[in-house]
Amino acid sequence: MSSIAFIGLGNMGGPMAANLIKAGHTVTGFDLGPAALEAFAAAGGRKAASAAEALAGADFVITMLPAGPQVRDVWLHQGGLIDVLGKTAGAKKPLLIDCSTIDVASAHAVYEEARKAGFDMIDAPVSGGTGGAINGTLTFMVGGSEEAFEKARPVLAGMGKTIVLAGGPGMGQVAKICNNMMLGINMVGLSEALILGERLGLSPAKLHEICAPSTSQSWALTSYCPAPGVVPSAPSNRDFAPGFMAALMAKDMQLSQAAAESANVPTPLGALAASFYQKVCDEGEGRRDFSYVYMWLGDQDRSDFNK
């Protein structure tokens, strides 16, 4: 078993770290939130007073942070993780793993600084939401060398079910951005169809029954249906308490659009869907599950989109 430093113990990082503890690893963690640290300690983790303190003796260093700016700040700034490791790691070189969902440029920047300092690093964003984090069934999309991937695999297996090497550095982030853009668009299209059917007299439950085994089948329909009362386990039946917050989907959709612009790729559906999740957030519902876009669309009038 390994000694692991885990930085970022929020809604995703907390349960991920807890699963590493259950797998028999020694995990030392840090988070800016006292409640997150206490929950981590209750799961058997070792609390650190700072991110730098958590690094001592680590075989692996994992971060799970909100966005690119926080990732750059934690890893790159003077007194950041790479700087501290360069001064303290000695001959022991831990493998560095960032599980945050961030822009590709930030992933490349952190990787390059780690490489210059003599450390190997992978980007390993996840899919599966808080349910996957709690149940240890996350999908890891990994960017980095094959050697680093194989070294990280046993640790990632303690937190996830599907672990895929997407390609070189940054390719994990590319896979995650594309995955979430597809999901975000899919949820909007599904919501529109459910609302249309209901307005024309067909209940969401009946439409679900018809479409689930048909050509319009999707994970969003069968496992995460946004219409309340259709799929019992879906957030729509818990007043849209998140699995995956609308604010996070808005962030990821914006990442996809920034990447599309940099690559000169037209993504008109992605852009439109991104605007819808942003409007959900603008109306104060960003902490609800992203499938709440169904409720937001249901409150709109066709004329709202013909202006």
Side-chain angles (χ1 to χ4, degrees), residues 289-304:
D289 189 80
F290 80 99
S291 57
Y292 188 81
V293 73
Y294 166 83
M295 301 298 288
W296 178 81
L297 281 165
D299 287 338
Q300 308 307 307
D301 185 87
R302 187 173 178 85
S303 63
D304 295 333

Side-chain angles (χ1 to χ4, degrees), residues 7 11 13 48 67-68 71 80 85 87 96 142 178 198 248 257 259 285 291 303:
I7 314 301
N11 292 335
V71 170
L85 286 167
K87 295 174 181 176
L96 314 184
V142 181
C178 292
E198 187 168 25
L248 295 177
Q257 295 315 293
E285 305 294 353
S291 57
S303 63

Side-chain angles (χ1 to χ4, degrees), residues 64 96-108 111 121-128 139-146 149 156 162-182 251-252 255-256 259:
M64 186 54 149
L96 314 184
I97 303 173
D98 179 44
C99 292
S100 319
T101 296
I102 61 174
D103 58 288
V104 178
S106 289
H108 279 297
Y111 170 82
M121 185 170 195
I122 61 173
D123 50 289
V126 303
S127 178
T139 293
F140 284 89
M141 296 158 262
V142 181
S145 69
E146 189 166 347
F149 173 73
L156 301 181
T162 303
I163 305 162
V164 180
L165 179 61
M171 290 302 104
Q173 298 297 344
V174 172
K176 177 62 185 291
I177 288 169
C178 292
N179 178 81
N180 278 24
M181 186 176 76
M182 284 188 275
K251 181 203 81 169
D252 288 359
L255 287 176
S256 76

Side-chain angles (χ1 to χ4, degrees), residues 182-192 219-221 224-226 249 277 289-294 297:
M182 284 188 275
L183 175 59
I185 294 170
N186 185 195
M187 183 59 75
V188 169
L190 169 59
S191 297
E192 290 182 352
W219 177 87
L221 174 66
Y224 220 77
C225 185
M249 179 57 84
Y277 293 110
D289 189 80
F290 80 99
S291 57
Y292 188 81
V293 73
Y294 166 83
L297 281 165

Side-chain angles (χ1 to χ4, degrees), residues 5-152:
F6 205 112
I7 314 301
L9 301 167
N11 292 335
M12 293 293 292
M16 290 166 67
N19 281 326
L20 289 174
I21 295 165
K22 290 177 186 176
H25 299 288
T26 299
V27 185
T28 303
F30 176 73
D31 192 277
L32 292 174
L37 267 178
E38 290 305 320
F40 170 69
R46 299 180 178 180
K47 292 191 296 183
S50 67
E53 183 180 297
L55 302 179
D59 301 305
F60 298 86
V61 179
I62 301 174
T63 50
M64 186 54 149
L65 301 167
Q70 289 87 352
V71 170
R72 285 176 179 263
D73 186 51
V74 167
W75 284 103
L76 300 183
H77 286 183
Q78 186 174 8
L81 300 186
I82 292 173
D83 184 44
V84 172
L85 286 167
K87 295 174 181 176
T88 62
K92 183 177 182 179
K93 299 286 188 181
L95 177 64
L96 314 184
I97 303 173
D98 179 44
C99 292
S100 319
T101 296
I102 61 174
D103 58 288
V104 178
S106 289
H108 279 297
V110 175
Y111 170 82
E112 283 301 319
E113 289 304 310
R115 184 187 61 79
K116 290 176 186 176
F119 297 95
D120 208 349
M121 185 170 195
I122 61 173
D123 50 289
V126 303
S127 178
T130 54
I134 292 167
N135 296 322
T137 56
L138 293 169
T139 293
F140 284 89
M141 296 158 262
V142 181
S145 69
E146 189 166 347
E147 180 182 0
F149 173 73
E150 292 300 335
K151 185 176 180 180

Side-chain angles (χ1 to χ4, degrees), residues 255-274:
L255 287 176
S256 76
Q257 295 315 293
E261 183 173 356
S262 71
N264 194 27
V265 175
T267 54
L269 290 179
L272 188 58

